[in-house]
Amino acid sequence: MRLSVSHRSVYSFDTPVRGIVQSLRMQPTDCENQRVIDWELAVEGGQLGAAFRDGAGDWVQTLSLHDSVEQLTISANGTLEVSDLNGVLRGHREPVHPAVYLRRVRATARSRGIDALAQEVTEKCDAASPLDTAHALARAVHERVAYVQGQTDAGTTAAEALELGEGVCQDHAHIVIATAISCGIPARYVTGYLYSESGEAMSQASHAWAELHVTDLGWVGFDGANGGCPDHRYVRLGSGFDALDAAPIRGLTLGSAEEQLDVDVSVGQVQQ
């Protein structure tokens, strides 16, 4: 499937700020799952700097601003050819060893609920393959946590969302990661885009899911929010330990101004 993506983030400040330094993960990388046909990253109010591929194989672009400004606009637009490989990430070059992703951060910290869910799944999958266990984990999270907007926020942990029983794609991804690590499976957070013809709120635009490292297959994506694996509707941007680490835009602002962020993302299918 050929998809077009438009992502626009506008930062507005109530008083001018003195400077901004950011790292952007807003350009998809080529792999067997997706091929970038064209992509443009533009900035109004700042200047793009050096770019590099990080240890996870994701493309990072730096941005800096050294003058007084009240608004910064970052836009990414492009077209990709996306394939369905049953969630398996293939041809994505990265030197980091998968065992690094057994590390926990605040968002994926252990709790009684997380460990209990992991134990419940592993007991049911005692003789199952690693892939079957990974599927069972993602399925259990999908069944246990309903997709409900407005009940969690950016700081909600996997343990808190699991106890609440409600959350959004960020929460589902964090819970899948936390339970996978409890099972000894390396897992990481992925940000990207998702196209849907249905118009469902949780199936459009910016999205997040988890990748688990499965023996003999490598990294495999699991979308706890939608209850399946990434397919030809998904565009992968970048990965990290959690939502903060994998955020498309991260940085620092010099100044004490109040900040407002407006994000507009659209994903469409391109007729061939």
Side-chain angles (χ1 to χ4, degrees), residues 110-264:
R110 291 181 64 181
S111 71
R112 291 182 179 179
I114 292 294
D115 287 347
L117 180 58
Q119 182 177 356
E120 176 185 323
V121 171
T122 52
E123 287 178 351
K124 290 181 179 178
C125 300
D126 184 39
S129 69
L131 180 61
D132 289 337
T133 301
H135 275 291
L137 279 172
R139 187 164 53 249
V141 173
H142 177 69
E143 294 171 351
R144 195 71 58 90
V145 182
Y147 184 93
V148 180
Q149 295 181 338
Q151 299 302 306
T152 57
D153 56 37
T156 302
T157 66
E160 292 167 343
L162 178 60
E163 183 176 359
L164 181 64
E166 296 177 342
V168 293
C169 58
Q170 170 180 299
D171 303 301
H172 288 91
H174 282 157
I175 298 169
V176 171
I177 294 167
T179 52
I181 294 174
S182 290
C183 295
I185 302 174
R188 63 189 181 188
Y189 189 100
V190 179
T191 56
Y193 308 107
L194 173 57
Y195 168 73
S196 173
E197 297 175 346
S198 67
E200 296 176 12
M202 79 173 195
S203 300
Q204 290 186 340
S206 295
H207 198 56
W209 58 96
E211 284 180 347
L212 277 57
H213 197 269
V214 178
T215 305
D216 298 329
L217 278 178
W219 290 108
V220 183
F222 295 91
D223 184 354
N226 283 303
C229 292
D231 52 28
H232 59 276
R233 300 169 298 159
Y234 289 69
V235 175
R236 187 186 189 279
L237 268 185
S239 63
F241 292 107
D242 62 359
L244 178 62
D245 192 39
I249 302 176
R250 294 186 64 185
L252 297 173
T253 300
L254 300 178
S256 57
E258 290 292 329
E259 174 187 298
Q260 178 179 328
L261 173 61
D262 295 307
V263 180
D264 180 42

Side-chain angles (χ1 to χ4, degrees), residues 22-26 41 43 48 59-61 63 74 248-249:
Q22 292 181 331
S23 63
L24 313 177
R25 283 191 182 91
M26 297 183 70
L41 183 61
V43 176
L48 294 176
W59 190 251
V60 180
Q61 174 75 58
L63 178 154
I74 305 171
I249 302 176

Side-chain angles (χ1 to χ4, degrees), residues 13-143:
F13 308 97
D14 62 348
T15 59
V17 296
R18 302 191 306 274
I20 296 174
V21 178
Q22 292 181 331
S23 63
L24 313 177
R25 283 191 182 91
M26 297 183 70
Q27 179 169 330
T29 55
D30 282 327
C31 58
E32 292 184 33
N33 306 65
Q34 60 188 28
R35 178 175 64 88
V36 178
I37 298 172
D38 59 77
W39 199 266
E40 180 181 6
L41 183 61
V43 176
E44 298 175 21
Q47 182 177 355
L48 294 176
F52 60 94
R53 191 177 304 280
D54 66 11
D58 303 322
W59 190 251
V60 180
Q61 174 75 58
T62 61
L63 178 154
S64 62
L65 167 67
H66 304 290
D67 298 319
S68 177
V69 68
E70 294 183 7
Q71 189 174 86
L72 174 67
T73 302
I74 305 171
S75 301
N77 300 276
T79 309
L80 306 95
E81 189 75 38
V82 186
S83 303
D84 182 3
L85 299 182
N86 298 312
V88 181
L89 181 64
R90 293 177 179 165
H92 184 71
R93 295 174 297 169
E94 53 183 299
V96 172
H97 194 279
V100 169
Y101 295 98
L102 288 170
R103 171 192 169 192
R104 293 185 187 271
V105 295
R106 176 183 177 275
T108 59
R110 291 181 64 181
S111 71
R112 291 182 179 179
I114 292 294
D115 287 347
L117 180 58
Q119 182 177 356
E120 176 185 323
V121 171
T122 52
E123 287 178 351
K124 290 181 179 178
C125 300
D126 184 39
S129 69
L131 180 61
D132 289 337
T133 301
H135 275 291
L137 279 172
R139 187 164 53 249
V141 173
H142 177 69
E143 294 171 351

